[in-house]
Amino acid sequence: MKPLQELTKQNIWKLTPYSCARDEFKGRAASVFLDANENPYNANFNRYPDPLQEELKARLAEVKGVPAGRIFLGNGSDEAIDLVYRIFCEPRQDNVVAIAPTYGMYGVCADINDIEYRPVELNADFSLDADRLLAAVDAHTKVIWICSPNNPTGNALDRKAIERVLTEFQGIVVVDEAYSDFNDARPFRLDLDRFPNLIVLNTFSKLWASAAIRLGMAFASEEIIALFNKVKYPYNINALTQQQAMKMLADLQQVQYWRATLLREREQLLPAIAELPICKAVYPTDANFFLARMTDADSIYHYLIDRGIVVRNRSRVQLCGNCLRITIGTPQENNALLGALRQYRS
């Protein structure tokens, strides 16, 4: 890995972050708060939240097996994605490389930040070709984006191929593990000591059934997390989100029950879809969704919409012609989907 200072935009490296009122009295006891121009009334909602979410990070450290100082919390994973560009990539000068197809926000954030985005197609079976990915790198490549399990394909990418990219690329590698909680592979967040250029993303939106609270996680070295905290907005995670996340983390048994239920439903639903005459292929998945190649994805998609069933039409995405991406739902939702598809007539 190149020195972190060399990878970081110089204006960010030299940046003096905004110091909020709560930072200044940190570690001291206080009962009267007259420092932040808050309204003293409407208790529980009138005070600014903890800007560094220390209580929540301490609990996450226990659950995720990563020290609190290596955790960044964002307004969804999308905030962390955007910060990667803002911290490391010079507009109209640097570029990033990503697998394709993959999560669309990597490309959207590249466009927003005026950074060249270089997609590299996966193999026909959606596996990762490390040689082709690394061949797209040049002297101005700052970041490589890898989503595993990947979206929209659902498959976990070969670990050795990812490790090769981490070892040979001298810039930042982001491994997005939003769906990793649905398989049993070792998460990359546990290997931060091996790969100083690694940033791992995770989220409360999937396994934790908390998409509405918009809470994303990034795991990285303390030096990289310090850069994230320097650039983020002071109070980026509101108090209600922090409280709800703590509530979810207190009920791990319920979350594991959801996981077991979804995996069981996935095991039953995939072969049932594959048996349909209108289905050409169901691709292996390690996530809480799967990709199915259909005879006429556009027609089937609109047919389902008319019956109040919403799936994702990925037909216009690279390598995904005539494909629908289908999330694993409750048993009742999955039965409704199957019943509708069995009645479909072209």
Side-chain angles (χ1 to χ4, degrees):
M1 174 184 176
K2 292 180 180 178
L4 189 58
Q5 182 174 356
E6 186 177 335
L7 291 172
T8 305
K9 291 165 59 179
Q10 287 308 296
N11 67 306
I12 299 300
W13 191 263
K14 297 174 183 177
L15 176 69
T16 300
Y18 175 78
S19 177
C20 63
R22 294 299 180 259
D23 287 329
E24 295 172 2
F25 86 93
K26 183 178 177 182
R28 300 180 178 89
S31 58
V32 178
F33 295 95
L34 305 176
D35 58 333
N37 301 335
E38 299 154 323
N39 190 319
Y41 303 106
N42 195 31
N44 297 325
F45 298 98
N46 62 325
R47 300 299 182 189
Y48 287 109
D50 176 3
L52 291 176
Q53 312 94 33
E54 291 186 348
E55 181 183 9
L56 177 53
K57 286 178 180 175
R59 178 63 181 131
L60 272 172
E62 297 173 356
V63 173
K64 295 292 188 178
V66 177
R70 295 184 173 187
I71 302 173
F72 169 81
L73 297 180
N75 185 356
S77 296
D78 294 340
E79 180 180 3
I81 292 168
D82 184 59
L83 285 177
V84 168
Y85 285 102
R86 292 166 61 192
I87 292 168
F88 297 111
C89 299
E90 288 284 358
R92 297 176 298 281
Q93 176 177 315
D94 292 329
N95 66 74
V96 302
V97 170
I99 61 173
T102 196
Y103 180 45
M105 279 304 294
Y106 312 143
V108 170
C109 283
D111 289 341
I112 291 170
N113 287 280
D114 205 4
I115 306 298
E116 180 190 355
Y117 184 80
R118 298 181 174 182
V120 177
E121 276 196 0
L122 297 170
N123 295 320
D125 63 354
F126 303 132
S127 61
L128 172 63
D129 186 328
D131 286 327
R132 198 155 66 235
L133 197 67
L134 290 166
V137 169
D138 66 15
H140 292 287
T141 304
K142 287 291 189 70
V143 180
I144 292 178
W145 295 96
I146 299 174
C147 186
S148 180
N150 191 27
N151 178 10
T153 60
N155 60 311
L157 303 179
D158 180 69
R159 186 180 186 86
K160 290 184 179 179
I162 296 174
E163 289 183 351
R164 184 181 162 204
V165 173
L166 281 161
T167 301
E168 296 188 17
F169 179 55
Q170 295 299 298
I172 299 296
V173 178
V174 182
V175 178
D176 190 342
E177 294 189 327
Y179 301 97
S180 63
D181 296 311
F182 295 101
N183 68 28
D184 296 322
R186 177 182 173 86
F188 270 94
R189 70 173 183 271
L190 300 181
D191 292 323
L192 295 175
D193 286 332
R194 291 181 58 200
F195 305 109
N197 58 336
L198 172 63
I199 299 173
V200 178
L201 304 183
N202 201 219
T203 178
F204 270 72
S205 296
K206 312 305 177 185
L207 176 66
W208 297 88
S210 297
I213 72 173
R214 305 306 302 129
L215 186 61
M217 295 163 272
F219 306 96
S221 68
E222 292 188 9
E223 293 77 12
I224 290 176
I225 295 300
L227 291 171
F228 274 70
N229 288 332
K230 179 189 278 194
V231 177
K232 78 173 184 71
Y233 291 121
Y235 303 105
N236 62 323
I237 307 298
N238 69 69
L240 298 179
T241 290
Q242 294 185 47
Q243 291 165 14
Q244 182 61 25
M246 288 295 291
K247 180 180 177 181
M248 297 304 303
L249 288 165
D251 197 359
L252 299 181
Q253 187 174 356
Q254 176 66 72
V255 175
Q256 289 306 312
Y257 171 78
W258 289 336
R259 180 183 189 271
T261 302
L262 290 170
L263 293 182
R264 183 173 62 250
E265 285 296 307
R266 185 179 77 182
E267 185 178 353
Q268 295 172 356
L269 183 59
L270 266 63
I273 296 290
E275 290 175 358
L276 296 172
I278 59 173
C279 180
K280 292 184 174 182
V282 171
Y283 294 96
T285 181
D286 299 285
N288 67 328
F289 65 88
F290 62 95
L291 195 68
R293 198 173 300 273
M294 314 300 283
T295 54
D296 188 345
D298 288 343
S299 175
I300 296 167
Y301 170 78
H302 290 291
Y303 163 83
L304 291 173
I305 288 288
D306 290 341
R307 281 148 187 79
I309 299 172
V310 184
V311 297
R312 197 78 191 270
N313 189 352
R314 299 282 75 189
S315 294
R316 289 153 189 82
V317 174
Q318 287 168 283
L319 303 179
C320 296
N322 256 334
C323 283
L324 299 178
R325 193 193 71 190
I326 301 174
T327 306
I328 307 298
T330 65
Q332 295 78 14
E333 290 170 332
N334 298 332
N335 288 337
L337 170 70
L338 271 174
L341 290 175
R342 285 168 177 161
Q343 296 174 28
Y344 174 81
R345 297 294 181 269
S346 58

